[in-house]
Amino acid sequence: MRYQLPIVIAVAAVCAACGGGDGGFTPDPVPQPDTIRTVTGTIGHHSTGPRLSNLDSNGRLIAEPGLIESTLPAGAPRVPVEVLDLNGAVMGTTLTDTRGSYSVDVNFGQAAATQVVVRIQAVLNLPFGTRVRVLPNASATEPYIHQTPPSGNPDDRTMRVDLSIDLDEGAAAYRMLNVLYPGFVEAAQGILVGDIPDVDLYWEPGNGPTSSFDGSRSDLGRITVAGGITGDPTSNTDCWDESVVARLLGEYLLHYFFLVSAPDGDGNDAR
């Protein structure tokens, strides 16, 4: 019996090392593959457009050949971002912030060593739930979509993938969203109550010289923005005219929230 206490102590030490009295041995966890990557970047557009100068007899701006820098930021605010694998499967989604930046964590499973494709849509998701889609025309069912080529260094835990929309690739779609975003936010803080109808904005190069607002549907405001006449550099290209886009937003607000029409003038009136 003189050896009983040391034996008990030794047994207790072994049990403690085995994880206590639950009868199971708990080994150290097996390291898992590092398959999480953060994909981050900025979605932007070339903030240039037709040079605008002079006024016609109706006080409308006339476009001239050449380009002029926009004063607006080049980021695409609150547009949806999808991160795809090389087979086209969606790995993660998010929205850009108000400056056009985004960040999303994605899991590559057992195949971390690969690149990604980042895809965006010309859809402004406003904080209060309203969406503004930019589509080529009223017959289109999908907004403008742009994506990167396969990008990113798979050895980096943070993969930076930027996307900038060129002038001839539809940059004007995001330029107009840049104009509409602050206008909607300001209006929502002051005058808008209840449901705020979505907006479909129709624009494509060469769709004509006339811009207009259509409020015939109670659940959807429809705005057409002039993309000019193909081959005529002096025709209206209102997608680059901040005052026209702002006026069209004003017509939308007047129609749905004050039940009145805009004052004399039309969507092309830059005054």
Side-chain angles (χ1 to χ4, degrees), residues 12 14 18 25 36 49 53 61 74 84 105 109 114 117 136 157 185 199 214 226 233 243 246 254 258 271:
V14 171
C18 292
F25 176 71
I36 302 297
S53 66
L61 289 169
L84 314 176
D105 290 337
T114 187
V117 172
R157 292 181 60 88
V185 171
V199 177
D214 178 0
S243 58
L254 286 172
F258 295 96
R271 290 172 293 180

Side-chain angles (χ1 to χ4, degrees), residues 53-63 209 234-236 238 266 268-271:
S53 66
N54 301 327
L55 298 176
D56 65 13
S57 59
N58 294 315
R60 299 168 185 163
L61 289 169
I62 300 174
T234 66
S235 61
N236 278 338
D238 289 339
D266 58 32
N268 295 305
D269 194 342
R271 290 172 293 180

Side-chain angles (χ1 to χ4, degrees), residues 109-154:
Q110 299 301 313
T114 187
Q115 293 181 300
V116 297
V117 172
V118 172
R119 181 170 65 192
I120 66 167
Q121 300 179 42
V123 180
L124 172 62
N125 292 265
L126 291 158
F128 37 83
T130 299
R131 294 193 314 162
V132 181
R133 303 190 302 168
V134 184
L135 305 95
N137 52 64
S139 299
T141 58
E142 297 292 336
Y144 284 97
I145 296 175
H146 296 86
Q147 66 182 43
T148 67
S151 305
N153 184 345

Side-chain angles (χ1 to χ4, degrees), residues 59-238:
R60 299 168 185 163
L61 289 169
I62 300 174
E64 293 183 343
L67 298 175
I68 187 169
E69 289 292 328
S70 169
T71 58
L72 290 172
R78 297 188 63 85
V79 300
V81 178
E82 296 176 307
V83 178
L84 314 176
D85 67 16
L86 297 187
N87 294 319
V90 177
M91 305 174 68
T93 62
T94 189
L95 292 177
T96 59
D97 63 18
T98 58
R99 296 177 179 271
S101 298
Y102 75 94
S103 181
V104 58
D105 290 337
V106 296
N107 191 339
F108 285 87
Q110 299 301 313
T114 187
Q115 293 181 300
V116 297
V117 172
V118 172
R119 181 170 65 192
I120 66 167
Q121 300 179 42
V123 180
L124 172 62
N125 292 265
L126 291 158
F128 37 83
T130 299
R131 294 193 314 162
V132 181
R133 303 190 302 168
V134 184
L135 305 95
N137 52 64
S139 299
T141 58
E142 297 292 336
Y144 284 97
I145 296 175
H146 296 86
Q147 66 182 43
T148 67
S151 305
N153 184 345
D155 294 328
D156 294 339
R157 292 181 60 88
T158 299
M159 305 170 67
R160 177 145 193 119
V161 183
D162 297 319
L163 176 58
S164 183
I165 313 303
D166 289 334
L167 188 65
D168 59 354
E169 294 175 341
Y174 302 91
R175 160 74 182 275
M176 291 182 288
L177 296 182
N178 254 320
V179 177
L180 293 174
Y181 175 70
F184 264 111
V185 171
E186 286 295 323
Q189 292 176 348
I191 62 173
L192 306 188
V193 294
D195 294 334
I196 303 175
D198 290 341
V199 177
D200 276 355
L201 191 156
Y202 307 125
W203 165 82
E204 61 181 337
N207 69 346
T210 304
S211 296
S212 61
F213 165 74
D214 178 0
S216 59
R217 284 181 54 175
S218 61
D219 61 333
L220 179 68
R222 290 177 287 187
I223 293 174
T224 298
V225 178
I229 300 173
T230 301
D232 182 0
T234 66
S235 61
N236 278 338
T237 51
D238 289 339

